[in-house]
Amino acid sequence: MTRLTRLVTAELWPPLLAGTALFTAILCFGYFFVSSQWLQGVPLGLVGQWIAYQVPDTLVKVLPMAVVLMTVVAFGRMSTERELVAVQSGGISLGRVARPAAVTALLVTALSVWLSLWVAPRANVETRGLYWDTLTGAGLGQLAGKTVDLGGGLTLYLRGYDAVTRELQGVRVEKWQADNHQRGTLILAERGTYEGQRLTLRDYATFAVDFAAARQLTRLPEGDPAAFRAAVQAVFPSVIVPEKTSDSLTVDTGLSRKETLAKYADAIGADAQGWRELTAILRDPEAKPEDRHQARLSLNRKLALPFANLVLALAALPFALRFGRTLGVSLGVALALAVAYYLLFLVGLTVAGAFPTFPELGVWLANIAFLALGLTLLRRA
């Protein structure tokens, strides 16, 4: 039995590794091709680093395809060469022969979960930071004219950005009280820098503002300067204007510079939330319902796709026994199964978005369907 396990395992690993390398290379080439117009003159080392940062997230997506290819190629060849018939005639069941495939798929699933929830989110942040700050040099210029949420109720607006000096121009920072939407702090600065999680502002002025008190200005009696001064003081209970324009103010933000670029620089923000961030939202009793729903959706999505490695290994086995006659046919069957799974997975995400009370059903729809398909076909085989 030990020798049989070694022989079957030796059949599985070559197509698994080859499929992983092939599909990863194809997607990485796609990343480079799409962005090649912005990478002219960039050192190859930096381009390679940028592509390497994308590998963890890419692996999560391609490993299910590689597992399908592994199963179809390995068991298709053993079926075509009548090796499975010989083994079964010796009293060894198909389930026992397929056990190494299940173990391999389980190991790949564990690797994929680790990549999906711990490695890929951080790598995605590094990818966007490297791309905008180093490769293209655009930096925070992508945020000019936008108001972005830096976390903790803090918002940032900048009129412009100097990519050479990495300096923000025409900065406005706002923070409103959680229990009073009409009262907050407003910081206006002519210039500033944003490095790490620190926003450093220069030539600035800070205003505490109460708009509820501002409404009372229209009700003041005319000809009463003292009442007017008191009312203005109530509108602006605190105003700080430094004597020197060179004085600076440092504001700690909820997002780092790289995280801000990852979230807002592109039309589609980077997938930067991992286990720690998602579980923190789910445990937070003050989290908004929409944030909690999105966290449930993201967490289940990041688990469902890795577990597709196990499900697809099972679902691909009956197809391997029936259709895996040649390498070309095996590759076609593997691609067809993988495409069908991903299409159903996308349908499931759409269903999950439409039913916020129970998004898990939609996210796991593809896994449930392919698990049922695999068990049904294996029973018939």
Side-chain angles (χ1 to χ4, degrees):
M1 283 295 188
T2 304
R3 183 179 180 185
L4 176 62
T5 299
R6 288 200 302 267
L7 291 174
V8 175
T9 302
E11 293 283 343
L12 296 172
W13 281 96
L16 174 64
L17 296 177
T20 302
L22 174 64
F23 298 134
T24 301
I26 292 173
L27 287 186
C28 287
F29 176 77
Y31 302 146
F32 175 78
F33 181 79
V34 170
S35 303
S36 58
Q37 60 178 326
W38 307 106
L39 302 178
Q40 297 178 9
V42 177
L44 290 178
L46 285 177
V47 175
Q49 183 181 357
W50 173 65
I51 293 177
Y53 278 139
Q54 300 179 72
V55 169
D57 189 62
T58 302
L59 284 174
V60 175
K61 296 179 174 67
V62 305
L63 281 174
M65 294 189 288
V67 166
V68 172
L69 183 65
M70 169 196 79
T71 305
V72 175
V73 170
F75 283 90
R77 193 204 66 78
M78 288 188 287
S79 178
T80 302
E81 299 294 331
R82 315 297 290 178
E83 293 178 7
L84 291 179
V85 175
V87 170
Q88 288 176 302
S89 65
I92 301 176
S93 67
L94 178 62
R96 178 62 185 85
V97 178
R99 191 175 300 172
V103 173
T104 302
L106 183 61
L107 292 175
V108 174
T109 298
L111 171 65
S112 190
V113 168
W114 176 63
L115 291 173
S116 179
L117 287 171
W118 282 276
V119 180
R122 302 280 73 78
N124 290 340
V125 170
E126 295 294 332
T127 299
R128 299 294 178 89
L130 179 64
Y131 182 78
W132 290 112
D133 265 343
T134 305
L135 299 186
T136 67
L140 294 170
Q142 296 297 110
L143 306 184
K146 300 179 181 178
T147 299
V148 298
D149 185 358
L150 299 183
L154 200 69
T155 62
L156 168 69
Y157 169 87
L158 57 145
R159 184 186 67 245
Y161 176 76
D162 188 332
V164 177
T165 61
R166 292 167 66 99
E167 190 174 70
L168 315 181
Q169 300 168 344
V171 184
R172 182 178 70 237
V173 178
E174 301 176 28
K175 185 170 184 179
W176 299 92
Q177 292 184 3
D179 58 347
N180 188 349
H181 68 283
Q182 299 187 82
R183 189 181 181 105
T185 300
L186 178 66
I187 306 174
L188 303 177
E190 290 301 314
R191 61 190 188 279
T193 56
Y194 188 6
E195 303 295 340
Q197 286 188 306
R198 289 190 173 184
L199 189 62
T200 303
L201 304 175
R202 296 179 180 84
D203 196 2
Y204 72 92
T206 301
F207 305 88
V209 184
D210 187 342
F211 280 94
R215 294 182 178 182
Q216 304 301 320
L217 293 175
T218 60
R219 303 172 185 173
L220 291 177
E222 296 183 4
D224 192 344
F228 181 77
R229 284 195 297 270
V232 171
Q233 182 65 42
V235 175
F236 299 100
S238 174
V239 177
I240 301 175
V241 181
E243 294 183 1
K244 300 179 180 178
T245 59
S246 59
D247 290 347
S248 63
L249 172 68
T250 300
V251 179
D252 291 328
T253 62
L255 292 178
S256 69
R257 177 189 177 98
K258 291 180 180 179
E259 289 171 329
T260 302
L261 285 169
K263 189 172 183 179
Y264 298 112
D266 291 331
I268 301 177
D271 188 356
Q273 290 182 308
W275 174 265
R276 181 173 61 85
E277 294 83 4
L278 294 173
T279 54
I281 295 174
L282 294 175
R283 289 196 299 262
D284 185 3
E286 299 182 358
K288 298 178 181 178
E290 56 270 23
D291 292 339
R292 191 182 299 275
H293 169 258
Q294 189 60 44
R296 287 174 62 188
L297 191 64
S298 297
L299 181 59
N300 279 275
R301 175 177 55 81
K302 288 174 176 287
L303 288 171
L305 194 54
F307 274 92
N309 293 288
L310 270 175
V311 172
L312 288 175
L314 173 66
L317 185 55
F319 289 93
L321 300 178
R322 185 169 182 179
F323 300 107
R325 297 182 180 87
T326 64
L327 180 60
V329 174
S330 297
L331 182 59
V333 171
L335 288 175
L337 282 173
V339 169
Y341 174 83
Y342 281 112
L343 288 175
L344 187 56
F345 186 73
L346 292 175
V347 171
L349 291 180
T350 303
V351 172
F355 296 95
T357 56
F358 193 53
E360 291 81 2
L361 180 61
V363 176
W364 290 87
L365 175 64
N367 286 11
I368 295 171
F370 272 77
L371 178 63
L373 175 65
L375 292 174
T376 301
L377 294 179
L378 280 177
R379 190 176 296 113
R380 292 179 180 178

